[in-house]
PDB file of all heavy atoms in Angstrom:
ATOM      1  N   HIS A 119       5.225  -3.645   2.655  1.00 98.00           N
ATOM      2  CA  HIS A 119       4.951  -2.397   1.949  1.00 98.00           C
ATOM      3  C   HIS A 119       6.119  -1.887   1.098  1.00 98.00           C
ATOM      4  O   HIS A 119       5.935  -0.985   0.275  1.00 98.00           O
ATOM      5  CB  HIS A 119       4.474  -1.330   2.947  1.00 98.00           C
ATOM      6  CG  HIS A 119       3.378  -0.459   2.416  1.00 98.00           C
ATOM      7  ND1 HIS A 119       2.523   0.245   3.219  1.00 98.00           N
ATOM      8  CD2 HIS A 119       3.017  -0.159   1.135  1.00 98.00           C
ATOM      9  CE1 HIS A 119       1.671   0.931   2.453  1.00 98.00           C
ATOM     10  NE2 HIS A 119       1.956   0.702   1.195  1.00 98.00           N
ATOM     11  N   TRP A 138      -2.001   7.139   0.347  1.00 99.00           N
ATOM     12  CA  TRP A 138      -1.332   6.090   1.132  1.00 99.00           C
ATOM     13  C   TRP A 138      -2.142   5.915   2.406  1.00 99.00           C
ATOM     14  O   TRP A 138      -2.142   6.796   3.269  1.00 99.00           O
ATOM     15  CB  TRP A 138       0.095   6.540   1.422  1.00 99.00           C
ATOM     16  CG  TRP A 138       1.055   5.489   1.885  1.00 99.00           C
ATOM     17  CD1 TRP A 138       1.208   5.026   3.168  1.00 99.00           C
ATOM     18  CD2 TRP A 138       2.059   4.820   1.097  1.00 99.00           C
ATOM     19  NE1 TRP A 138       2.234   4.105   3.208  1.00 99.00           N
ATOM     20  CE2 TRP A 138       2.769   3.958   1.960  1.00 99.00           C
ATOM     21  CE3 TRP A 138       2.422   4.868  -0.257  1.00 99.00           C
ATOM     22  CZ2 TRP A 138       3.824   3.147   1.514  1.00 99.00           C
ATOM     23  CZ3 TRP A 138       3.468   4.064  -0.694  1.00 99.00           C
ATOM     24  CH2 TRP A 138       4.158   3.219   0.180  1.00 99.00           C
ATOM     25  N   ASP A 140      -2.749   4.112   5.742  1.00 99.00           N
ATOM     26  CA  ASP A 140      -1.788   3.359   6.556  1.00 99.00           C
ATOM     27  C   ASP A 140      -1.770   3.925   7.978  1.00 99.00           C
ATOM     28  O   ASP A 140      -1.921   5.138   8.171  1.00 99.00           O
ATOM     29  CB  ASP A 140      -0.391   3.541   5.907  1.00 99.00           C
ATOM     30  CG  ASP A 140       0.642   2.507   6.324  1.00 99.00           C
ATOM     31  OD1 ASP A 140       0.597   2.040   7.471  1.00 99.00           O
ATOM     32  OD2 ASP A 140       1.514   2.203   5.484  1.00 99.00           O
ATOM     33  N   ASP A 144       5.511   5.321   6.680  1.00 99.00           N
ATOM     34  CA  ASP A 144       6.536   4.662   5.861  1.00 99.00           C
ATOM     35  C   ASP A 144       7.443   5.699   5.201  1.00 99.00           C
ATOM     36  O   ASP A 144       7.832   5.577   4.039  1.00 99.00           O
ATOM     37  CB  ASP A 144       5.881   3.725   4.826  1.00 99.00           C
ATOM     38  CG  ASP A 144       5.129   2.587   5.511  1.00 99.00           C
ATOM     39  OD1 ASP A 144       5.354   2.356   6.710  1.00 99.00           O
ATOM     40  OD2 ASP A 144       4.292   1.939   4.846  1.00 99.00           O
ATOM     41  N   HIS A 157      10.321  -1.786   5.043  1.00 98.00           N
ATOM     42  CA  HIS A 157       8.892  -1.473   4.821  1.00 98.00           C
ATOM     43  C   HIS A 157       8.462  -0.188   5.531  1.00 98.00           C
ATOM     44  O   HIS A 157       7.366   0.306   5.263  1.00 98.00           O
ATOM     45  CB  HIS A 157       7.982  -2.656   5.184  1.00 98.00           C
ATOM     46  CG  HIS A 157       7.772  -2.877   6.653  1.00 98.00           C
ATOM     47  ND1 HIS A 157       6.687  -3.551   7.150  1.00 98.00           N
ATOM     48  CD2 HIS A 157       8.519  -2.526   7.726  1.00 98.00           C
ATOM     49  CE1 HIS A 157       6.766  -3.595   8.477  1.00 98.00           C
ATOM     50  NE2 HIS A 157       7.874  -2.994   8.849  1.00 98.00           N
ATOM     51  N   ASP A 239      -2.572  -0.287   3.213  1.00 99.00           N
ATOM     52  CA  ASP A 239      -1.882  -1.134   4.193  1.00 99.00           C
ATOM     53  C   ASP A 239      -2.933  -1.654   5.171  1.00 99.00           C
ATOM     54  O   ASP A 239      -3.674  -0.863   5.774  1.00 99.00           O
ATOM     55  CB  ASP A 239      -0.824  -0.272   4.909  1.00 99.00           C
ATOM     56  CG  ASP A 239       0.035  -1.047   5.893  1.00 99.00           C
ATOM     57  OD1 ASP A 239      -0.477  -1.978   6.536  1.00 99.00           O
ATOM     58  OD2 ASP A 239       1.223  -0.686   6.027  1.00 99.00           O
ATOM     59  N   GLU A 284       0.662  -5.941   3.404  1.00 98.00           N
ATOM     60  CA  GLU A 284       0.880  -6.189   4.845  1.00 98.00           C
ATOM     61  C   GLU A 284      -0.140  -7.134   5.471  1.00 98.00           C
ATOM     62  O   GLU A 284      -0.312  -7.130   6.695  1.00 98.00           O
ATOM     63  CB  GLU A 284       0.963  -4.864   5.629  1.00 98.00           C
ATOM     64  CG  GLU A 284       2.146  -3.973   5.228  1.00 98.00           C
ATOM     65  CD  GLU A 284       3.505  -4.421   5.777  1.00 98.00           C
ATOM     66  OE1 GLU A 284       3.535  -5.300   6.663  1.00 98.00           O
ATOM     67  OE2 GLU A 284       4.535  -3.888   5.299  1.00 98.00           O
TER      68      GLU A 284
HETATM   69 MN1  LIG B  28       2.770   0.621   5.361  1.00 56.76          MN
END
Side-chain angles (χ1 to χ4, degrees):
H119 219 158
W138 196 277
D140 199 327
D144 296 344
H157 76 157
D239 184 325
E284 297 283 348

